[in-house]
Amino acid sequence: MTNRLNWHQYFMKIANLVAERSTCCRAKVGAVIVKDKNILSTGYNGSPSGLPHCTDVGCLVYKSITPDGRTEENCFRTIHAEINAIAQAAKHGSSINEADIYITHTPCIHCLKVLINTGIKNIYYQHEYKVETIADMVEQAEINLMQVEF
């Protein structure tokens, strides 16, 4: 018997470590894009490089109404972890088509749409976050959304 982490636990632990770099005051989120058991890129939620961070100057939260009438709150200052991981891969010329992503939380609807367009088919997450808002799109896009447990 061994206590060795399986691959999903290993990459999720790395996503949690990446999340510690987050400069978001509301939630620390980390993402790791993996292909063939190799890390291609990482990302965390925070401001674009060189711009002020929420932890330093405060949040720029705005409210919007979803099609079903719920109020959503987002921050103008930050970029989500998934988008930062995709940007990092693009910046360094790494193809993420058919890669997997490990995220500390389920993606928002906007990040899910981008993940679909990048060719990622497997999304692994640790914490469920508003999964009901993405369920239909996950099914329609034939994305595998799976929770990693420790």
Side-chain angles (χ1 to χ4, degrees), residues 4-141:
R4 187 177 188 195
L5 298 173
N6 66 40
W7 285 108
H8 298 304
Q9 294 168 330
Y10 171 73
F11 291 123
M12 191 58 71
K13 277 201 176 261
I14 293 170
N16 278 282
L17 183 61
V18 170
E20 292 184 28
R21 289 275 308 153
S22 170
T23 59
C24 177
C25 300
R26 300 182 324 148
K28 293 188 176 294
V29 180
V32 178
I33 298 177
V34 175
K35 192 171 190 177
D36 300 325
K37 297 181 183 166
N38 291 291
I39 296 172
L40 300 178
S41 67
T42 64
Y44 52 87
N45 55 333
S47 297
S49 297
L51 297 181
H53 295 282
C54 293
T55 51
D56 298 328
V57 295
C59 299
L60 290 176
V61 175
Y62 66 93
K63 294 180 181 183
S64 59
I65 306 298
T66 65
D68 65 4
R70 285 181 286 129
T71 300
E72 285 279 327
E73 290 187 354
N74 291 287
C75 182
F76 275 120
R77 198 178 304 285
T78 62
I79 301 171
H80 289 187
E82 303 92 321
I83 303 302
N84 273 328
I86 292 165
Q88 195 65 238
K91 184 176 182 178
H92 296 287
S94 298
S95 171
I96 61 173
N97 187 40
E98 297 185 17
D100 299 333
I101 190 166
Y102 291 81
I103 316 166
T104 55
H105 299 71
T106 50
C108 72
I109 191 74
H110 305 292
C111 289
L112 178 63
K113 291 184 282 189
V114 175
L115 292 170
I116 290 167
N117 276 1
T118 63
I120 288 177
K121 291 290 186 188
N122 296 309
I123 300 172
Y124 299 96
Y125 68 94
Q126 184 176 1
H127 305 288
E128 193 173 285
Y129 176 76
K130 298 184 181 179
V131 74
E132 69 281 354
T133 63
I134 62 169
D136 287 343
M137 192 172 290
V138 166
E139 185 178 331
Q140 291 170 2

